Amino acid sequence: RMPNCLLKVTRLLLSNKLRAFLFILLFVLVSFGYLTLYWRIAEGVNDSAPLSLPLEFNCAPPVPFSLPKASGSSPSKGNVFFVETSEQINPGYLFSCSVESAARANPKASVVVLMRGLARGNTSLPEHWVFSLLSCFPNVQIRPLDLSELFSGTPLQQWYSRPLRSWEPYFLPVLSDACRIVLMWKYGGIYLDTDFIVLKNLENLTNSLGIQSEDVLNGAFLSFQPKHEFMQLCMEDFVKNYNIWIWGHQGPELLTRVFKRWCSIRTIRSMSCKGVRALDPETVYPIPWQNWKKLFEATSAVEFHKLLKNTYAVHVWNKLSHDARLEIHSQALLAQLYSQFCPATYAKMKHD
């Protein structure tokens, strides 16, 4: 049976049909207006939407933190390369910070971002806040990555053209390894992985690469003059000793074995040999990959300066750290790096 109170309401509504109709109409209109407002707000905070930044956003200010400057003349023109070999065109905060920090620390260099996911010949970038943010740095260029054109005229041209190459188990990281050594040989300049935060100008690190850990070099940072013989040997070794089954065989292991032959040594150490330098780990890998969690730990100002006093760039080891939660308003080492070396990206993070 219908409850007595519900019967009374029904009788009341039936006896006042006009009022009931107006009440229902008003309820529908209010509900529609609420839902419309809700979805507009939701779209406004969508990460893939065009850039919406707080009022304090500014592309131009200098890095608000100073480390001891490298000796030498003022920054010279050159290329700083970032490469995205996957098809993704929706980069995140770390990608944005990497490019922004490089653009700020190397204002007279062309910071070139090559992305495989951008359609060739497309004159406009996708609507995404990272592209909007980076577009206000005059020395940043975001371009399509044409792999066939890049590898043409190099020992890797035939390697890349082989069928079923993309089905290999480590194809994307191997493709990235290939791109960086070809870029250095063809054009010269600096190559950086998109999980670096740059602290100061990199121009004085010519013809060098960094020691990752004991007896291992890493190619996340490379700096070479164009057509350098060392990069030519790296390309030749890439093809001659190609192995699809071993992680890092075309990357850190390749650079390590070529450098050992180049210098006729058995163990990697910080040194300069025939014009190529193996940089001390603190130069670009101050946080060892085994200790990546330190990036998310609170760090005092004194410790921050002490840790990074001889550092040019910090590798964040995104392959290991990408799932870790960063408290952006904390004193975590990584939060401090964001706030001081990519303040525009940091402002967007706070805004979100």
Side-chain angles (χ1 to χ4, degrees):
R1 287 186 175 182
M2 188 180 294
N4 290 334
C5 61
L6 190 57
L7 282 170
K8 291 180 180 179
V9 171
T10 303
R11 290 169 182 165
L12 180 63
L13 289 175
L14 289 173
S15 63
N16 296 275
K17 290 182 179 180
L18 179 59
R19 292 182 182 179
F21 174 76
L22 292 175
F23 174 80
I24 293 171
L25 180 63
L26 180 61
F27 178 80
V28 171
L29 290 174
V30 171
S31 299
F32 178 77
Y34 174 81
L35 288 172
T36 302
L37 178 62
Y38 173 82
W39 285 115
R40 284 183 178 177
I41 293 172
E43 288 175 359
V45 299
N46 190 328
D47 194 49
S48 61
L51 179 63
S52 175
L53 291 167
L55 294 176
E56 66 266 24
F57 171 72
N58 193 334
C59 295
V63 176
F65 174 80
S66 60
L67 291 171
K69 292 184 178 180
S71 59
S73 58
S74 60
S76 60
K77 290 192 175 184
N79 291 319
V80 178
F81 290 103
F82 292 93
V83 177
E84 179 53 67
T85 52
S86 75
E87 297 285 353
Q88 74 150 346
I89 52 173
N90 57 338
Y93 300 118
L94 183 54
F95 180 104
S96 177
C97 183
S98 296
V99 179
E100 180 189 345
S101 63
R104 290 178 182 276
N106 301 270
K108 295 187 178 180
S110 294
V111 179
V112 182
V113 183
L114 300 172
M115 302 188 72
R116 188 180 174 201
L118 295 178
R120 187 177 179 182
N122 192 353
T123 57
S124 60
L125 292 171
E127 288 191 351
H128 190 280
W129 69 265
V130 170
F131 301 128
S132 298
L133 187 152
L134 295 177
S135 67
C136 66
F137 291 92
N139 59 331
V140 172
Q141 304 175 43
I142 302 173
R143 299 176 179 175
L145 173 61
D146 187 333
L147 292 168
S148 298
E149 180 182 348
L150 177 63
F151 293 135
S152 67
T154 74
L156 278 74
Q157 182 175 5
Q158 187 176 359
W159 163 83
Y160 178 67
S161 63
R162 289 178 185 173
L164 302 179
R165 178 68 68 200
S166 60
W167 291 94
E168 295 177 3
Y170 304 123
F171 175 67
L172 282 181
V174 168
L175 183 61
S176 179
D177 292 331
C179 288
R180 68 191 70 184
I181 60 176
V182 171
L183 282 168
M184 291 296 94
W185 183 80
K186 267 193 168 184
Y187 306 108
I190 294 163
Y191 167 83
L192 291 169
D193 275 0
T194 55
D195 57 351
F196 259 106
I197 298 179
V198 181
L199 278 57
K200 55 184 175 181
N201 192 274
L202 303 170
E203 68 162 341
N204 289 324
L205 303 182
T206 309
N207 299 332
S208 59
L209 63 171
I211 298 174
Q212 168 187 297
S213 55
E214 185 178 356
D215 206 35
V216 179
L217 292 167
N218 194 308
F221 161 86
L222 294 171
S223 177
F224 280 89
Q225 295 172 326
K227 305 299 189 293
H228 197 283
E229 184 183 355
F230 184 85
M231 285 292 107
Q232 175 70 36
L233 293 174
C234 287
M235 291 191 298
E236 293 172 0
D237 186 284
F238 186 100
V239 176
K240 182 180 178 180
N241 297 308
Y242 191 70
N243 189 320
I244 68 173
W245 303 111
I246 303 176
W247 172 268
H249 187 76
Q250 314 305 130
E253 291 186 18
L254 180 151
L255 295 168
T256 301
R257 60 180 177 262
V258 171
F259 189 80
K260 286 182 176 180
R261 290 201 304 269
W262 178 266
C263 296
S264 300
I265 57 175
R266 291 186 177 182
T267 305
I268 298 290
R269 61 185 185 277
S270 179
M271 62 183 297
S272 180
C273 178
K274 293 193 289 186
V276 178
R277 289 186 289 171
L279 302 170
D280 189 274
E282 66 179 345
T283 308
V284 287
Y285 304 113
I287 309 296
W289 68 267
Q290 301 92 330
N291 197 27
W292 65 267
K293 291 183 180 179
K294 183 174 180 61
L295 291 160
F296 298 85
E297 296 173 358
T299 305
S300 69
V302 173
E303 184 182 3
F304 187 86
H305 282 263
K306 183 179 179 180
L307 178 65
L308 303 177
K309 65 180 180 180
N310 296 316
T311 297
Y312 284 74
V314 177
H315 194 217
V316 177
W317 308 107
N318 189 52
K319 181 176 173 59
L320 299 169
S321 65
H322 66 278
D323 285 332
R325 178 176 174 80
L326 175 64
E327 295 293 342
I328 193 62
H329 294 285
S330 70
Q331 289 301 305
L333 176 59
L334 184 55
Q336 294 188 61
L337 289 170
Y338 272 111
S339 67
Q340 298 183 36
F341 297 103
C342 54
T345 301
Y346 182 71
K348 177 70 167 92
M349 295 173 78
K350 289 193 299 181
H351 180 250
D352 288 349

